[in-house]
Amino acid sequence: MSLQVYERVSLKALNSFGVEAQARLFTEAHDDQQVREALAYATHQQLSLLVIGGGSNLLLTRDVEALVLRMASRGLRTLSDDGQRVIVEAEAGEPWHPFVLWTLQQGLAGLENLSLIPGTVGAAPMQNIGAYGVELKDVFVGLTALDRETGALREFSLTECEFAYRDSLFKRQAGRWLILRVRLALSRTAALHLDYGPVRQRLAEQGISAPTASDVSRAICAVRSEKLPDPAELGNAGSFFKNPLVSAALAAGLRRQHADLVAYPQSDGQVKLAAGWLIERAGWKGFREGDAGVHRLQALVLVNYGRATGRQLLALAQRIQADVAERFGVALEIEPNVL
Ligand code: EPU
C-alpha cells in the first residue's frame, strides 16, 4: 500500500485557528487511489475518517479519535475553451488562492472576487464560499465526489449541489461525500462584479476606471488584508458566524430602535442582517479573554492570540450568541465545522 499513516499527530499546524489537538491517525492522499486506501484503512481500524483541506473552516475542541485525511491531490487543467467560455478543473487539494491566480494569469475572469480566501479547492463547494458579491455557485459547473457509503464515483451538476448562502448538499450530508475535483466555467471577457463599495473605492483611488479581473483581484486582496487577520499571523477561521436571515417584521422592529442597522432585504421577503454589526453593537468587538478574542477590526472573526483552546473559543462564541439573542432576538449560527 502506498499510503503513509502516522500515529498521534498534532493538528496545530493543520487548522487555521492554530489550536492544539491530536489526530489518533493521520494520512495524506495525493490521488483517488490513496483516498480509497485511506477509506479502507479507516474501516479496517474501525475508526471514522475525518477529511480536511486547508483546515480553515474548522474548530477542533478535542483530540480526534479518527483517521484524519488531508487532501493533498494537485492538478489544474483546462477542459474546454471556445475562445470565450473556458471550463477549468482543479483537484481538491489545490490551495484556493494560488488556483485563483492561475486562472487570472491565463486571462480568465470569474474568480477575482474570491481572491485570498483561505482553504482548498475541495472545501470550496462545502460551504459555497462567497465574498464581495460573488459565490462559488456563480461559476460552478460540476464536481466529482466519492460516495463514502458505496465507494462509487458520482458527478454532481450545479443544481444537484443545492448551493445556498454558505451551504450545500455536502455540508448538509456531512460525512457522505468526499469531493475529489471541481469544474468551473470562467470567461475571457470579464463581466466584473463591482457592487461592493470598498472595492470600487479602492480602484477609484488608484485611478483605475476600466479594471481588469487582475485589477479587481488586487483590490480585493487589499480590502481583505485591511480587515481580516492573516491566519499565518493570528489564528482564525474567517467569519465565525453566518449573517442571519430574519423576518421582515423583526428587521423593521430592530430598525426602529437602531437607525444604523445593517440589513439586506432578500428576494424571498426575508432580511439578512450583518452579524458583525450586531456583535459590535453588543460590545464584543476587540474583546479578549485569555488568548481567545474577537478581532478588533471585524467582529465576525474570532481569533486565537496563541494558546486558546477550541473549547475556550467555542465558549466565547456561545456567550456572544446568548448576548446577541437577548439584546436583538436574533439567533447567530456558527459557520465553521465544530468538532
Ligand atoms: N460590520 C460592523 N462591524 C463589524 C463588521 C461588520 O458594523 O465588526 C458591518 C459593516 O460596516 C458592513 C456590514 O457589517 O456594513 C458588512 O460587513 P462586511 O462587508 O465586512 O462583510 P461581512 O458581512 O462582515 C461577509 C462574509 C465574508 C466576506 C464579506 C465580504 C459572511 C459570514 N461573511 O462578511 O466572508 O468576505 O462579507 O463579502 O457572509 C468568511 O466567510 O469567512 C468571510 C470572511
Side-chain angles (χ1 to χ4, degrees):
M1 174 164 96
S2 62
L3 203 67
Q4 302 271 340
V5 180
Y6 303 91
E7 267 182 73
R8 308 233 168 262
V9 171
S10 166
L11 297 172
K12 190 174 166 72
L14 296 171
N15 72 98
S16 64
F17 257 125
V19 302
E20 186 53 81
Q22 256 195 8
R24 164 88 177 277
L25 296 176
F26 176 80
T27 191
E28 292 181 331
H30 296 86
D31 56 32
D32 293 8
Q33 179 54 26
Q34 288 188 325
V35 170
R36 290 179 186 283
E37 286 174 18
L39 267 170
Y41 194 84
T43 306
H44 183 253
Q45 297 291 317
Q46 294 182 313
L47 283 175
S48 58
L49 184 78
L50 172 70
V51 182
I52 61 170
S56 55
N57 202 44
L58 179 67
L59 180 63
L60 296 165
T61 62
R62 54 176 163 77
D63 287 340
V64 185
E65 275 300 306
L67 170 62
V68 174
L69 168 64
R70 190 180 81 88
M71 290 300 288
S73 51
R74 303 298 294 263
L76 303 172
R77 57 194 77 90
T78 299
L79 295 184
S80 69
D81 182 348
D82 67 6
Q84 157 84 28
R85 188 170 183 263
V86 180
I87 310 285
V88 298
E89 183 177 68
E91 296 294 321
E94 285 287 342
W96 177 261
H97 181 62
F99 165 56
V100 172
L101 294 181
W102 177 80
T103 64
L104 291 168
Q105 274 155 17
Q106 310 197 46
L108 301 178
L111 297 182
E112 54 282 352
N113 290 39
L114 304 178
S115 295
L116 217 56
I117 294 183
T120 55
V121 165
M126 297 298 288
Q127 54 154 345
N128 179 30
I129 58 169
Y132 308 104
V134 173
E135 290 183 339
L136 182 76
K137 71 171 172 50
D138 301 331
V139 290
F140 181 93
V141 284
L143 64 75
T144 306
L146 186 74
D147 184 345
R148 288 170 56 171
E149 284 175 10
T150 65
L153 289 186
R154 164 137 176 224
E155 303 295 328
F156 283 87
S157 69
L158 172 62
T159 50
E160 286 167 336
C161 296
E162 296 173 19
F163 288 125
Y165 167 61
R166 295 294 191 275
D167 197 27
S168 72
L169 173 83
F170 312 107
K171 192 166 173 179
R172 288 194 294 280
Q173 298 186 354
R176 168 97 193 254
W177 304 102
L178 205 156
I179 295 171
L180 297 173
R181 57 193 70 85
V182 176
R183 289 174 291 284
L184 306 176
L186 304 176
S187 169
R188 291 202 183 279
T189 47
L192 302 173
H193 298 266
L194 298 171
D195 335 326
Y196 194 81
V199 176
R200 264 204 319 270
Q201 192 185 328
R202 180 159 287 268
L203 288 164
E205 277 163 18
Q206 294 176 329
I208 300 172
S209 53
T212 63
S214 291
D215 291 330
V216 175
S217 171
R218 280 188 287 273
I220 299 270
C221 288
V223 169
R224 281 189 78 96
S225 307
E226 267 171 18
K227 270 205 197 166
L228 295 167
D230 177 356
E233 286 160 22
L234 186 60
N236 75 89
S239 300
F240 199 84
F241 301 99
K242 291 188 191 181
N243 285 329
L245 284 165
V246 302
S247 69
L250 178 56
L254 287 171
R255 164 85 75 214
R256 278 194 291 278
Q257 291 166 357
H258 311 276
D260 58 340
L261 179 80
V262 181
Y264 314 96
Q266 306 291 296
S267 52
D268 63 359
Q270 286 188 296
V271 178
K272 191 189 269 184
L273 301 180
W277 185 93
L278 296 168
I279 298 167
E280 177 174 351
R281 196 43 75 92
W284 291 97
K285 196 172 183 170
F287 176 87
R288 175 171 177 175
E289 187 171 77
D291 276 352
V294 179
H295 190 50
R296 60 187 181 83
L297 300 176
Q298 167 50 290
L300 210 44
V301 177
L302 296 194
V303 292
N304 174 11
Y305 285 100
R307 288 166 181 267
T309 63
R311 280 171 195 271
Q312 287 166 340
L313 287 158
L314 184 60
L316 173 58
Q318 288 165 342
R319 283 174 67 189
I320 294 170
Q321 283 176 312
D323 192 29
V324 166
E326 195 183 312
R327 283 173 197 260
F328 303 108
V330 176
L332 291 183
E333 195 183 326
I334 290 178
E335 202 213 23
N337 300 317
V338 177
L339 212 87

